[in-house]
Amino acid sequence: MDALLGTTHNVNAAQECVRALIIFLYGLVMLRLSGRRTFARMSALDSVITIVAGSVLAQGMTGSVPIGPAMIGVAVLIALHALVSFAVARSDALSRLIEGEAVPLLREGVLDERKRIVCKISRSDLAEALREKGLDGLKDLHQAKKLQIEPSGKISVLKHNSG
């Protein structure tokens, strides 16, 4: 196994590639098992803090850095997150800057393909969002009054009033 993966602080480029592949595949499996909604409510700020804090703690856990300073670093990150969250909750301008704005994907009843592609939204993701609102996927797109990608990445659908 050491020949394939190397040992702590002794890994060649090929072994690093094998490790990267294993971690990548493991991450995909974990993401699929946890479901797409696991991070649906996380803002970009929340994601960055989670990733950085996880990285810092992992370094402390593996002994790359002492655990005390790693824990202090994470405490500082969490405090900064709290301060920025507090400011974002009180300032619409700061909220737009940090969290972004909703992007409309429907213009005069027609799907804006350019915005869909820029936002990296697949047609199957749109169909799923429409089905969640009781519509029959993309063939019922005409029944959507509003279709937009929210700052969280969630696709919102507002149907025309029936009646």
Side-chain angles (χ1 to χ4, degrees), residues 18-68:
V18 170
R19 286 176 178 221
L21 177 63
I22 291 168
I23 295 299
F24 177 76
L25 294 174
Y26 179 77
L28 285 177
V29 168
M30 291 298 104
L31 184 59
R32 293 297 293 160
L33 288 175
S34 67
R36 290 181 183 212
R37 300 233 173 247
T38 301
F39 300 106
R41 294 281 182 208
M42 288 183 71
S43 70
L45 174 65
D46 298 327
S47 296
V48 168
I49 293 297
T50 300
I51 291 166
V52 173
S55 176
V56 170
L57 287 176
Q59 290 177 17
M61 187 177 77
T62 62
S64 297
V65 298
I67 190 112

